[in-house]
Amino acid sequence: MKRRIYKPKIMLASLVIFLLLIFFTTNVSTAKGLIFKWTNVKQVEITANKLNVRVGPSTSYRKISTVSRGDVLDVLGTLGSWYVIHMKDGSVGLISSTYTRVNAYYNPAPTTKEPDKYSGNLSPEETLMINLINAERKSAGLPAYKLDMELMRVARIKAEDLSTHKYFSHDSPIYGSPFKMLSDFSVDYKMAGENIAGNSTVESAQYSLISSSSHKLNILSTDYNYVGIGIFDDLRYGKVFVQMFIQK
């Protein structure tokens, strides 16, 4: 259960005034052009292993502390692309927004989910890969995997992440393990597995996966009943492929 801490408005106002005095009396020359702004972001979670907290909105400012992956911090406002954060020891500092994800908003968006680039209908390549998987299952006398669009969305994000950050591993430097990623994206599951491949075509990628005993176990598993597919263009292999399997 999350602990809620209610801060008096006067304390928050004092912190902001103190912060503004720091920036606009001692750092005017280097913070020139930046304006302290309110943001709807209430809390952020750190996604980097370690992130420096500084007294100003760039790496040229002095480091005053560090925060770690998974830390959740209160946000007071922004200076450019940097969050002004209130740390647990009561101090105030700045962190780069690049290495965070939003944990809570002051005014949450409506619960109706808006479509994004990771949602939507299956591409011909995604459809082909699902058909090839289920053809293998049919040959083995197993029921076809069902399609789960939330799982599809996570697999698509993972495929893009593999290519964009140029790694080839089940553990993402941004999202962590497949299991953490599924939980963070609110995908309910009892059991989960993942296959990844790099190849030029869907057929070649599927052949390499079914030829590997460990990957074949996921494709022909009786532990899972849903599948999600992600495919993304990649300079190293031509394309990267992500197959995510879950049991609901």
Side-chain angles (χ1 to χ4, degrees), residues 51-55 62-67 87 89 91 94-95:
L51 184 61
N52 291 328
V53 181
R54 300 183 181 275
V55 297
R62 180 171 56 88
K63 181 181 77 172
I64 57 173
S65 184
T66 59
V67 288
M87 291 184 289
D89 64 359
S91 60
L94 284 92
I95 57 173

Side-chain angles (χ1 to χ4, degrees), residues 12 16 35-44 73-85 97 100 102 104-108:
L12 180 60
V16 173
I35 300 174
F36 179 82
K37 294 182 178 180
W38 180 85
T39 175
N40 191 39
V41 175
K42 184 178 182 180
Q43 290 181 326
V44 291
L73 303 169
D74 293 330
V75 176
L76 302 179
T78 63
L79 273 172
S81 62
W82 289 60
Y83 284 127
V84 181
I85 51 118
S97 62
T100 67
V102 176
Y105 292 95
Y106 285 102
N107 300 305

Side-chain angles (χ1 to χ4, degrees), residues 101-119:
R101 60 170 160 254
V102 176
N103 189 65
Y105 292 95
Y106 285 102
N107 300 305
T111 55
T112 302
K113 292 185 178 179
E114 295 293 332
D116 57 24
K117 69 175 184 176
Y118 305 108
S119 304

Side-chain angles (χ1 to χ4, degrees), residues 109-116 119 149-151 153 184-187:
T111 55
T112 302
K113 292 185 178 179
E114 295 293 332
D116 57 24
S119 304
M149 291 311 297
E150 287 301 311
L151 190 59
R153 183 173 183 272
D184 287 347
F185 282 92
S186 302
V187 176

Side-chain angles (χ1 to χ4, degrees), residues 157-177 181 194 196-197 234 236-237 240 242:
I157 293 171
K158 177 64 175 287
E160 181 178 4
D161 186 52
L162 281 168
S163 180
T164 301
H165 293 96
K166 297 179 175 60
Y167 71 98
F168 194 79
S169 169
H170 293 294
D171 291 329
S172 163
I174 303 299
Y175 301 108
S177 72
M181 189 174 182
E194 179 186 74
I196 58 175
D234 185 83
R236 299 165 297 173
Y237 311 108
V240 285
V242 176

